[in-house]
């Protein structure tokens, strides 16, 4: 969801840099890329270790949570996200959301976009769900979401959309096809990667062609 459906990655950077200010440090892209797509605990531990911050997880998380509660409410939809979701639901294509965000943060981030996220119905699995035993890159969250969507589904029936390499790896571990939506704002190199493990790499959901995967094609005007 983060960085794929909602433009929250810029907010994460804003929050992180605000916390780093008293330590005269800035948030390096190399560290951000290692954190993207991971659960809060793992991502925070990476940040604290990379920047050698004199903070415990609890101390950092407390500051970050309060800032996130303010800034995440302003998160905008990513280009092409609403179009794709409305297209799939209009054609009765089953969809599910699997996000590393906690349920509390999910509600805050999606507050102003409730009519869009209602399209998922009850098929929303968050990172703090008790059935998700292991965080990405483990496949747990995708397999849990699949079983809840339709218990007759097989991994090969699923197509995962991910903005983070860590999430693509989780899809691979679940034996699912994946679309890596590679936001080039968060890349260490302007050139596209020569190798990746996703089924397909695109740089925006606007570039996704449903018909390529046997899904109903977009109609003119969408």
């Amino acid at each position: 969801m983060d960085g794929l459906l909602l433009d929250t990655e810029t907010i994460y950077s804003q929050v992180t840099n605000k916390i780093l200010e008293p330590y005269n440090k800035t948030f390096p892209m190399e560290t951000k890329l290692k954190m993207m797509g991971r659960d809060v605990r793992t991502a925070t531990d990476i940040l604290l270790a990379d920047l050698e911050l004199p903070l415990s997880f609890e101390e950092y998380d407390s500051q970050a949570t309060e800032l996130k509660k303010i800034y995440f409410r302003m998160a905008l939809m990513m280009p092409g996200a609403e179009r794709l979701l409305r297209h799939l639901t209009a054609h009765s294509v089953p969809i599910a959301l699997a996000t590393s965000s906690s349920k509390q943060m999910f509600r805050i981030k999606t507050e102003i976009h409730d009519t869009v996220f209602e399209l998922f119905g009850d098929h929303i699995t968050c990172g703090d769900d008790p059935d998700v035993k292991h965080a990405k890159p483990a496949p747990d969250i995708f397999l849990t979401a699949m079983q809840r969507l339709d218990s007759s589904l097989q991994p090969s029936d699923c197509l995962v959309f991910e903005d983070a390499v860590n999430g693509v790896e989780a899809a691979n571990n679940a034996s699912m096809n994946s679309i890596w939506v590679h936001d080039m704002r968060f890349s260490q190199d302007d050139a596209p990667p020569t190798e990746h493990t996703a089924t397909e790499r695109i740089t925006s959901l606007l570039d996704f062609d449903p018909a390529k995967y046997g899904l109903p094609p977009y109609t003119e005007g969408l």
Side-chain angles (χ1 to χ4, degrees), residues 38 136-139 142 160 162 164-176 178 180 197-198:
R38 296 187 183 273
K136 299 174 188 177
F142 291 138
V160 173
E162 264 289 350
V165 172
N166 188 55
V168 171
E169 186 179 347
N172 290 339
N173 290 334
S175 299
M176 296 178 178
S178 63
W180 178 23
T197 59

Side-chain angles (χ1 to χ4, degrees), residues 167-206:
V168 171
E169 186 179 347
N172 290 339
N173 290 334
S175 299
M176 296 178 178
N177 293 313
S178 63
I179 304 295
W180 178 23
V181 187
H182 185 194
D183 189 336
M184 293 300 288
R185 293 178 300 171
F186 308 111
S187 177
Q188 289 183 285
D189 194 335
D190 291 337
T194 55
E195 295 182 3
H196 62 79
T197 59
T199 309
E200 183 181 4
R201 172 190 170 273
I202 56 179
T203 57
S204 168
L205 284 174
L206 292 170

Side-chain angles (χ1 to χ4, degrees), residues 53-121:
L53 293 173
L55 295 170
S56 66
F57 166 78
E58 290 75 18
E59 290 169 333
Y60 180 90
D61 188 56
S62 177
Q63 293 184 57
T65 298
E66 292 309 306
L67 290 170
K68 289 173 184 176
K69 286 178 180 178
I70 298 170
Y71 294 117
F72 275 150
R73 297 181 193 277
M74 298 178 279
L76 301 176
M77 296 293 296
M78 290 292 285
E82 183 173 355
R83 177 184 72 159
L84 176 60
L85 295 177
R86 292 197 180 280
H87 173 73
L88 294 176
T89 53
H91 289 277
S92 301
V93 177
I95 59 173
L97 178 66
T99 174
S100 296
S101 294
S102 67
K103 184 169 287 188
Q104 178 196 28
M105 282 299 163
F106 166 78
R107 288 171 177 158
I108 290 172
K109 293 172 185 176
T110 61
E111 192 175 79
I112 64 171
H113 306 290
D114 55 343
T115 58
V116 177
F117 284 88
E118 284 172 358
L119 297 173
F120 288 104

